[in-house]
Each structure stands twice: as structure tokens, then as C-alpha cells.
């Protein structure tokens, strides 16, 4: 296949920027989120002069859990709105973990709200639970829609459970996850129509509308308008597909004004390839070469139908790219010494950091077999050009194998505890690595973690 794509690597000089202090944004984000939750509780407290009897306690608890669940829905959407300030300062990976954890809390609160309200109302009206449920769903304003929204939340929670997600393709999970938008829309009207803390309280209604409308505007702008505008501006297309290792290919892309994207080494895009069978899915793949004004590159391992199809892309295939996203960049560096620890195709963002991070950099790259070490030639060239150390660890043959333990890592990198660590790889490898790094004395704040579990 002929191509005018530049041959990588065209070495980029490491940045001379000094290590940065930790960003205050994550702490401020926590304060804002918990401050909002406290305000929600204050709303209930202000509107509840007294609580009498079992029915009152149950209904009060149902109101509290309902308010918190409604507030949490808006926060969950905000975390995934891809707001640049949050994405760069906190990191897409960490935001996704916050979103997943918050989702579990939200579903628990919603379930508790439903059960407590039905129980409390049934005690108050001296009716059975089934009769009370029927009355609420069929005769209260907007509660039928709210019930449908609640059931959609349950379906989303089920498909997001780790045991289920392992068994369904990423593309299917991603599409099913869009049901949460419909669920939030259906539940929103029920909150204002039936919530005792909103009926007759114009100020609370306006604040709730402002919260949800503000989040909706951010979602519409950053998740839809900005990607469409950039697609029209940059007009990305595939220039070449190159094999790198068994089941691993690099896809080169070009377009107009690529420097305007302001992508940084370590970041990723969500790529939508406009060809048959692929146009409907936008999958996250990291840049595997430092951003260049003339081209971008991703390197992908075939782990499903979508990723395997990349090897069959033809030159000229149009591409929509959302991004750049992620805070897995030099901005997180706190010291002048860095360890890059990668496994499998997790080497892709580390490849760009290995070339561009300033200071003393060591790379440890783990794979199952020697032939699975993608981009090895480039890594060796980068190491030689900047005088850096690179260690390859494979499981087969056993003579080259090394356990992923604190002792083994210290054997490769004696001053490990003094370094920042950028970690990227499959879930099992990263979990073992996190435990080993903590045991080796690396402070949690200096372990920068990127996973594939977005």
C-alpha cells in the first residue's frame, strides 16, 4: 500500500517545562458536588417542620433519597459532558470512575426512594403495598413516565455491571447507555409534579430547572455541537493502515488544520469511521505518536468486531473524531523522574509520553510474547535518541518473565519511590501494578492511571 504518510518516529524534543503542583480542580469539584448535596438536604429540612410516626419517617426518608437521586442524575450527566476544564484538570479516566461510582449510589438512592415512598404512603392511607403502587403509578401526575424512567435506569445499571459488561461489545453497551438520557427526561417531570419540596416552592423549581438546563446545554454543546463543528473544519480521513504486531495495526489519519486540535501526548479521541458497519460506533483510541500538524496516528489491537475491522480500512475513508480528551499528559507530572509502565496495547499513550516527557524517563513494557511488543522499533529509537532506559518483560518464554511485584519493579527501577508513574494497560495488569506500586512506596498522588474501562 503506497502512502505519503511520514515514517514515525520523527523525534520530538522533550518539553523543558518544570513539574507542576497538583491541580486544585479535583478538590474544588468534590466541594461543589458535596455542597450541592448539602443544599438538597437543606431544602428538605426547610420544608419539613416535623416528622410524626412511622409513616412520616418512611415518607421523609423517601423524599430525601428522591431529592438526592434527582440531584445525582444531573451530576452524573455533568461528569460525562466532556467539559474541557474538567477533562484536562481531572482526567477522563478519573471522571469515568467517579461516574461509575456515582451511578451505583444513584441507583441505590432511586430504589430506596421508590420503596420508602410506597411503604410510607401505604401506612398513611392504610392500604396494601400493591394497591398503593397502582394508585401512585396510574393516578399521580407524571408518575407513569417516572416509572418508565426508573425501569430504564435499572436496565442501564444491569448492563453496566462488570460481569455483564465483560460479555457484551463496547459498542452495544455504549448505545444502551444512551437510554439514561431518556430516563432522566422522563423522571424530571415527576420530580417537579409530585415532589413535596417543589410543589408551591417557586424558588426551588427555578433552581432545579437551572441545574438541569445548564447540564443539558453543556451536553448539547460539548458532546454534539463541538464534534460536528470540528468534523466540518478538519475533514479527517484515513491515509494508511500498517501492521505493527499480531492483531495490531496503526491507522494514520490526515486532514485540515490538525494543529488547531491542540492534542497533547497521552490524550485520546473517540473515532467514528464512516464506512459500512462502523459508522454508528465512536470508540476511544489513544494517539500512539506525538501529534503532528500533518497527521495523527492510533494503534489498535483487535479485541472485538470494531477494532478488528480497522485493519480493513481503505485510504480515503472519512473519519469523525471527538476530542482530544483525557488528562493523562505531562501536566500530571510532579517530579523530574518518571516511570512509564505499560501492558499490551496500553503502550500507545505511553509511546507518545516516552518521546516527549522531560527529565529522566524509564519505560517498562509488558506483553505476553516478544512478537506482541508493538512499536518496539520506535521505542528503541526513542530510547537511543534521548538516552532513556527501556525494559521489555514477556510471559513467554519464561526465562524473560518477571512477576509484577514491588520487588521486581524495584529491581528494574531502584529509585521507583522517587518517581511519578504513568500506568496504562488491561484491567488485570493495572490492578496488580497499582498494588505493587503502593507496596513499593510510590505515593498515590504520583500514580497516574489510564484504563480501558471507559
Amino acid at each position: 500500500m503506497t502512502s505519503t504518510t511520514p515514517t514515525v518516529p520523527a523525534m520530538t524534543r522533550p518539553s523543558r517545562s518544570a513539574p507542576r503542583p497538583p491541580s486544585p480542580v479535583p478538590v474544588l469539584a468534590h466541594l461543589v458536588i458535596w455542597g450541592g448535596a448539602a443544599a438538597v438536604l437543606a431544602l428538605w429540612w426547610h420544608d419539613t417542620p416535623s416528622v410524626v410516626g412511622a409513616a412520616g419517617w418512611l415518607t421523609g426518608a423517601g423524599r430525601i433519597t428522591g431529592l438526592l437521586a434527582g440531584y445525582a442524575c444531573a451530576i452524573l450527566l455533568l461528569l460525562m459532558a466532556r467539559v474541557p476544564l474538567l477533562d484536562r484538570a481531572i482526567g477522563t479516566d478519573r471522571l469515568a470512575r467517579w461516574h461509575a461510582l456515582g451511578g451505583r449510589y444513584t441507583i441505590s438512592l432511586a430504589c430506596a426512594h421508590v420503596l420508602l415512598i410506597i411503604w410510607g404512603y401505604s401506612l398513611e392511607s392504610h392500604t396494601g403495598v400493591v394497591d398503593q403502587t397502582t394508585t401512585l403509578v396510574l393516578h399521580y401526575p407524571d408518575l407513569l413516565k417516572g416509572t418508565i424512567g426508573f425501569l430504564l435506569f435499572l436496565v442501564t445499571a444491569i448492563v453496566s455491571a462488570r460481569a455483564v459488561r465483560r460479555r457484551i461489545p463496547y459498542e452495544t453497551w455504549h448505545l444502551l447507555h444512551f437510554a439514561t438520557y431518556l430516563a432522566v427526561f422522563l423522571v424530571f417531570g415527576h420530580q417537579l409534579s409530585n415532589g413535596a419540596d417543589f410543589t408551591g416552592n417557586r424558588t426551588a423549581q427555578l433552581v432545579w430547572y437551572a441545574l438541569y438546563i445548564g447540564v443539558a446545554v453543556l451536553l448539547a454543546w460539548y458532546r454534539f455541537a463541538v464534534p460536528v463543528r470540528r468534523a466540518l473544519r478538519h475533514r479527517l480521513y484515513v491515509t494508511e493502515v500498517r501492521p505493527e504486531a499480531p492483531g495490531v495495526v496503526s491507522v494514520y489519519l490526515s486532514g485540515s488544520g490538525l494543529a488547531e486540535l491542540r492534542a497533547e501526548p497521552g490524550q485520546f479521541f473517540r473515532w467514528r469511521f464512516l464506512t459500512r458497519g462502523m459508522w454508528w460506533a465512536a470508540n476511544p483510541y489513544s494517539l500512539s505518536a506525538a501529534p503532528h500538524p500533518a497527521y495523527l496516528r492510533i494503534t489498535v489491537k483487535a479485541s472485538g468486531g470494531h477494532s478488528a475491522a480497522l485493519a480493513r480500512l481503505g485510504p480515503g475513508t472519512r473519519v469523525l473524531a471527538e476530542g482530544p480528551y483525557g488528562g493523562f499528559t505531562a501536566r500530571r507530572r510532579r517530579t523530574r523522574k518518571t516511570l512509564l509502565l505499560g501492558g499490551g496495547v496500553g503502550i500507545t499513550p505511553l509511546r507518545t509520553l516516552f518521546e516527549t516527557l522531560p527529565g529522566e524517563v524509564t519505560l517498562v513494557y509488558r506483553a505476553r510474547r516478544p512478537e506482541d511488543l508493538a512499536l518496539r522499533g520506535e521505542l528503541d529509537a526513542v530510547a537511543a535518541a534521548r538516552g532513556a532506559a527501556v525494559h521489555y518483560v514477556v510471559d513467554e518464554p519464561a526465562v524473560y518473565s518477571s512477576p509484577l511485584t514491588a520487588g521486581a519493579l524495584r529491581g528494574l527501577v531502584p529509585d521507583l519511590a522517587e518517581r511519578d508513574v504513568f500506568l496504562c494497560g488491561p484491567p488485570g495488569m493495572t490492578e496488580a501494578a497499582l498494588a505493587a506500586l503502593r507496596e513499593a512506596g510510590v505515593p498515590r498522588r504520583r500514580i497516574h492511571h489510564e484504563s480501558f474501562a471507559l
Side-chain angles (χ1 to χ4, degrees):
M1 182 183 294
T2 58
S3 172
T4 58
T5 303
T7 299
V8 177
M11 297 302 177
T12 302
R13 288 188 177 183
S15 167
R16 295 182 180 273
S17 60
R20 301 187 180 193
S23 170
V25 174
V27 175
L28 291 175
H30 273 292
L31 291 175
V32 170
I33 291 171
W34 288 109
V40 168
L41 292 176
L43 174 63
W44 172 84
W45 183 269
H46 179 270
D47 292 333
T48 308
S50 63
V51 179
V52 179
W57 282 105
L58 290 169
T59 304
R63 286 169 52 197
I64 291 173
T65 52
L67 285 169
L68 290 174
Y71 169 72
C73 284
I75 297 301
L76 291 180
L77 294 178
L78 177 61
L79 292 177
M80 291 290 100
R82 300 171 191 169
V83 179
L85 172 63
L86 298 178
D87 191 78
R88 290 179 180 271
I90 299 175
T92 306
D93 186 70
R94 189 189 299 181
L95 288 172
R97 292 197 294 273
W98 288 5
H99 176 82
L101 180 62
R104 291 191 284 272
Y105 286 133
T106 303
I107 291 297
S108 300
L109 288 167
C111 290
H113 165 69
V114 170
L115 296 175
L116 290 166
I117 286 293
I118 292 174
W119 191 5
Y121 277 29
S122 66
L123 288 179
E124 188 174 317
S125 60
H126 305 288
T127 59
V129 171
V130 174
D131 290 339
Q132 187 62 52
T133 302
T134 303
T135 300
L136 287 170
V137 172
L138 298 181
H139 300 291
Y140 276 59
D142 294 318
L143 248 180
L144 181 58
K145 291 191 295 184
T147 301
I148 296 172
F150 172 66
L151 295 176
L152 286 175
F153 274 127
L154 289 182
V155 171
T156 304
I158 291 169
V159 300
S160 297
R162 185 175 299 181
V164 178
R165 277 201 62 182
R166 291 196 188 106
R167 290 169 170 79
I168 61 176
Y170 169 84
E171 296 82 11
T172 303
W173 169 83
H174 192 256
L175 282 176
L176 291 174
H177 219 66
F178 275 106
T180 55
Y181 292 124
L182 178 58
V184 170
F185 173 76
L186 292 172
V187 169
F188 179 76
H190 141 68
Q191 296 177 69
L192 296 180
S193 299
N194 299 289
D197 301 285
F198 294 109
T199 53
N201 188 338
R202 190 62 176 169
T203 300
Q205 292 177 10
L206 290 175
V207 171
W208 214 247
Y209 271 114
L211 173 65
Y212 273 83
I213 291 174
V215 171
V217 169
L218 291 174
L219 280 167
W221 180 251
Y222 287 114
R223 294 202 64 164
F224 299 101
V226 169
V228 170
R229 185 184 66 177
R230 287 181 174 174
L232 296 174
R233 167 68 183 94
H234 301 294
R235 299 184 178 277
L236 286 168
Y237 61 94
V238 174
T239 60
E240 184 180 1
V241 178
R242 294 182 188 174
E244 302 286 2
V248 179
V249 298
S250 285
V251 180
Y252 290 80
L253 308 104
S254 189
S256 303
L258 299 186
E260 297 173 14
L261 291 170
R262 298 181 180 178
E264 298 180 41
Q267 290 190 307
F268 70 95
F269 289 76
R270 284 179 168 86
W271 307 90
R272 189 184 302 272
F273 297 91
L274 304 184
T275 187
R276 184 177 180 180
M278 301 183 71
W279 62 268
W280 56 277
N283 283 33
Y285 299 122
S286 297
L287 297 175
S288 62
H292 191 280
Y295 70 96
L296 300 173
R297 187 185 76 174
I298 58 175
T299 301
V300 181
K301 181 178 181 179
S303 57
H306 186 277
S307 53
L310 295 182
R312 301 189 293 274
L313 289 174
T317 301
R318 289 290 178 180
V319 183
L320 300 182
E322 301 174 31
Y325 297 125
F328 194 66
T329 67
R331 297 170 183 265
R332 290 194 181 181
R333 189 172 58 101
R334 304 288 175 258
T335 67
R336 296 186 179 276
K337 293 182 178 182
T338 307
L339 168 64
L340 307 178
L341 178 55
V345 79
I347 193 62
T348 51
L350 299 182
R351 154 69 180 85
T352 63
L353 294 172
F354 191 41
E355 180 181 345
T356 58
L357 273 178
E360 181 181 328
V361 181
T362 297
L363 171 66
V364 176
Y365 182 13
R366 303 179 63 91
R368 191 163 68 89
R369 303 168 301 175
E371 55 266 35
D372 295 325
L373 294 167
L375 309 175
R376 182 172 182 173
E378 294 181 17
L379 297 172
D380 289 337
V382 171
R386 64 177 301 171
V390 56
H391 302 282
Y392 299 106
V393 180
V394 294
D395 296 330
E396 304 170 6
V399 67
Y400 297 112
S401 180
S402 175
L404 189 46
T405 62
L409 288 175
R410 280 195 295 259
L412 295 173
V413 189
D415 58 352
L416 175 59
E418 303 172 12
R419 294 177 178 251
D420 276 275
V421 179
F422 286 77
L423 170 64
C424 187
M429 175 262 178
T430 53
E431 288 175 11
L434 285 169
L437 291 168
R438 294 292 293 121
E439 184 181 343
V442 182
R444 191 180 301 275
R445 67 181 180 279
R446 287 201 269 111
I447 301 175
H448 316 298
H449 172 213
E450 184 93 322
S451 76
F452 301 135
L454 295 182

